[in-house]
Amino acid sequence: MTAIDQSRTVAVVGTGTMGQGIAQVALAAGHPVRLYDAVPGRAGEAADAIGARLDRLVEKGRMDAPERDAARARLRPAADLAELADAALVVEAVLEQLSVKQELFTALEEIVADDCLLATNTSSLSVTAVAGALRHPGRFVGLHFFNPAPVLPLVEVVSGNATDEATATRAWATAAAWGKTPVRCADLPGFIVNRIARPFYAEAFAVYEEQGADPATIDAVLRESGGFRMGPFELTDLIGQDVNEAVTRSVWESFFHSPKFLPSLAQRRLVESQRLGRKSGHGWFSYAEGVPKPAPHTAEPAEAPEYVVIEGDLGPAGELTAMIREAGIEVRQKDEDRGTRLVMPSGGQLVLADGQTSVEFRDVVYFDLALDYRAATRIALSAADHTGDDTLAQATGLFQALGKQVSVIGDVPGMIVARTVAMLADLALDAVAKGVATKEDIDTAMRLGVNYPLGPIEWNDSLGRDWAWELLHNLHESVPTGRYARSLALHQWSYATSQEDAS
């Protein structure tokens, strides 16, 4: 099944930011485009706004003037739904209310030809439910673009329970022909991105609620150690706390209040107080003129230890051995199968985050996971009140000698990056097992849809078969609410990997 020919009309219903963006994408691909909005005059205003954006592209040298003029000539506002009769594809981007969408598509079904694809851009409603009112739901599909649609490459192609295979394939091919990167997924709550991304926000908010660290520090650790482009606090301020919290709540409710998707009470309080982020002038941070953004907690300089003893295999932190030597610090190696730890001259231990807490041990400082320990510019450490001052100071000085800024956070299990990555991996593997999408499409979606530095499955593979399994086991022991219970898929993946290693 091939893409819709560019000579065929694409109609967009709903002319807000997303609708205009989708229309611009279809225009750029060479289609005639019709814009319709239920509010009189709004389609014309949207056409003018798209024209103005095309003008700016010409000014920036990203489009030539004849191309812009041709695109404008193909764009036409419609005053009535009947004017969409010749469309080969209608994409809806209206209010996120099931009854509104069903009413729209029921009307469109009486207008368009039998070969016209009908698509919803919903991000929170069931594609199957929207199509439930149609006589021919087989031609109905989800086309979930990400904002801003002309810029972001990802499109989730969502098959409802009644969507024909040919419909999904043609929708996928059309999105690809438009220069997008489409991924296919089943109609399950949150699709791919909004389902799997929840821990990125939820774990950061949980660390904050546990008094582990302030928002600026958590953001900095996830950016500078985890490699994420933005931290969850600054990102939700940009998205809008009301919007982000509504998506989280929708996914949680769709999964029958599963603790895996539990919303944050702290974020709920922000929404209730109308501290919605940038758009209201205050969210997690203040955006009032002249108010500086809070700086992350950064430890004062400390003296590096003269030597460290590395016992066993450092696993995901293995690169640290060479880095410590390069910094001129003596490394004494003990070939013992005793886990991932460094022993300081104080006798205390420095251990990679494993889901346990320092308070459980005599003298242990935990350090957080990094995407790349060489490239990381900040490392988080955590310690209990009874942890030796010398051990914490030596651990701090060690990472500072490696060129890192150090943030000391509270004694929270799994720290920040480690628990986030483990939960992302668990949800991603669970989504594969439940037929949401393939491993490849999930990793692609998370890299392109939310700019993750690695896909969660790719990241999990690089960390080793037992890393996420053991960390979540320990977290579940510390916080036995079910939130950190390992999925069957993670268990099976870990076991299968161990069998491959043994063969």
Side-chain angles (χ1 to χ4, degrees):
M1 180 68 70
T2 57
I4 294 170
D5 190 272
Q6 68 176 197
S7 66
R8 299 290 305 276
T9 296
V10 172
V12 178
V13 180
T15 58
T17 301
M18 183 58 77
Q20 290 181 33
I22 295 169
Q24 184 177 331
V25 171
L27 270 181
H31 291 274
V33 174
R34 301 288 175 268
L35 285 172
Y36 174 79
D37 198 288
V39 179
R42 191 164 288 176
E45 293 171 0
D48 291 340
I50 294 170
R53 282 200 291 275
L54 298 179
D55 289 340
R56 289 194 292 275
L57 291 177
V58 172
E59 292 169 4
K60 295 177 180 178
R62 298 177 185 171
M63 175 182 281
D64 58 41
E67 187 182 2
R68 172 201 59 197
D69 295 342
R72 277 184 158 176
R74 295 193 304 272
L75 179 62
R76 192 181 78 197
D80 190 274
L81 273 182
E83 296 179 49
L84 312 184
D86 64 337
L89 167 66
V90 181
V91 184
E92 162 272 315
V94 302
L95 194 65
E96 286 284 86
Q97 289 185 5
L98 180 61
S99 60
V100 172
K101 294 181 187 291
Q102 287 182 328
E103 183 179 350
L104 168 65
F105 284 111
T106 300
L108 283 168
E109 200 172 32
E110 302 298 323
I111 294 168
V112 299
D114 290 343
D115 66 346
C116 176
L117 296 189
L118 299 178
T120 176
N121 184 60
T122 186
S123 61
S124 61
L125 298 177
S126 161
V127 170
T128 301
V130 177
L134 300 181
R135 294 196 313 275
H136 304 293
R139 61 167 164 174
F140 191 84
V141 67
L143 278 179
H144 182 214
F145 290 78
F146 289 75
N147 193 33
V151 176
L152 294 184
L154 185 69
V155 177
E156 292 178 324
V157 180
V158 187
S159 292
N161 283 13
T163 301
D164 291 336
E165 176 64 22
T167 296
T169 301
R170 193 170 196 197
W172 187 98
T174 299
W178 290 1
K180 296 300 181 182
T181 303
V183 294
R184 296 186 63 165
C185 61
D187 181 29
L188 291 168
F191 309 144
I192 299 175
V193 172
N194 280 333
R195 173 183 182 142
I196 295 172
R198 297 348 293 165
F200 178 69
Y201 311 106
E203 294 312 310
F205 298 163
V207 170
Y208 169 72
E209 291 174 341
E210 293 160 12
Q211 301 293 295
D214 60 277
T217 299
I218 296 170
D219 276 356
V221 170
L222 282 161
R223 285 195 315 268
E224 299 173 38
S225 184
F228 293 93
R229 185 168 297 183
M230 295 182 73
F233 293 91
E234 58 189 339
L235 180 55
T236 53
D237 268 358
L238 179 64
I239 294 168
Q241 299 302 331
D242 52 339
V243 174
N244 182 264
E245 201 256 358
V247 172
T248 298
R249 187 167 294 275
S250 173
V251 172
W252 176 61
E253 290 173 349
S254 296
F255 279 106
F256 308 106
H257 296 181
S258 165
K260 292 274 188 182
F261 302 99
L262 187 68
S264 162
L265 181 58
Q267 188 180 39
R268 173 100 290 257
R269 290 292 180 259
L270 280 184
V271 174
E272 290 172 341
S273 63
Q274 292 299 299
R275 291 191 165 190
L276 306 180
R278 289 181 179 271
K279 63 186 176 183
S280 70
H282 204 302
W284 296 109
F285 306 110
S286 172
Y287 298 93
E289 186 176 353
V291 176
K293 185 176 178 180
H297 169 76
T298 301
E300 294 294 326
E303 186 174 345
E306 293 182 4
Y307 69 90
V308 297
V309 180
I310 297 180
E311 296 186 347
D313 178 10
L314 292 184
E319 185 66 16
L320 288 177
T321 302
M323 293 171 61
I324 293 169
R325 286 196 175 104
E326 291 163 13
I329 299 171
E330 180 186 353
V331 174
R332 302 174 184 176
Q333 193 95 37
K334 286 189 177 180
D335 295 327
E336 299 181 20
D337 186 16
R338 298 177 63 185
T340 301
R341 67 183 187 179
L342 301 92
V343 181
M344 300 288 101
S346 66
Q349 299 173 19
L350 181 59
V351 181
L352 176 62
D354 61 5
Q356 299 181 93
T357 53
S358 294
V359 75
E360 301 171 52
F361 304 98
R362 183 179 63 82
D363 193 10
V364 167
V365 173
Y366 277 104
F367 67 97
D368 209 349
L369 181 70
L371 172 68
D372 180 338
Y373 281 99
R374 285 194 178 273
T377 58
R378 182 178 298 273
I379 295 293
L381 303 179
S382 68
D385 290 341
H386 67 246
T387 301
D389 292 340
D390 287 349
T391 298
L392 181 57
Q394 289 168 9
T396 300
L398 173 65
F399 280 105
Q400 289 173 340
L402 303 184
K404 317 301 180 187
Q405 292 187 304
V406 173
S407 292
V408 179
I409 68 170
D411 189 22
V412 291
M415 301 192 69
I416 299 172
V417 180
R419 70 198 276 178
T420 300
V421 172
M423 286 293 285
L424 289 170
D426 184 66
L427 285 190
L429 287 168
D430 182 60
V432 174
K434 291 177 178 171
V436 176
T438 65
K439 292 181 180 180
E440 294 75 17
D441 275 355
I442 285 174
D443 277 351
T444 296
M446 302 312 290
R447 287 196 310 270
L448 299 184
V450 279
N451 291 313
Y452 285 3
L454 287 176
I457 297 175
E458 177 187 9
W459 206 338
N460 183 58
D461 288 348
S462 73
L463 293 169
R465 65 179 178 86
D466 289 334
W467 182 81
W469 193 92
E470 290 183 352
L471 187 141
L472 290 178
H473 168 76
N474 291 332
L475 261 172
H476 181 61
E477 290 288 314
S478 300
V479 189
T481 61
R483 179 188 184 113
Y484 302 108
R486 296 161 297 185
S487 68
L488 176 61
L490 180 62
H491 172 77
Q492 291 174 328
W493 177 87
S494 183
Y495 184 79
T497 306
S498 68
Q499 293 294 94
E500 290 172 7
D501 291 345
S503 62

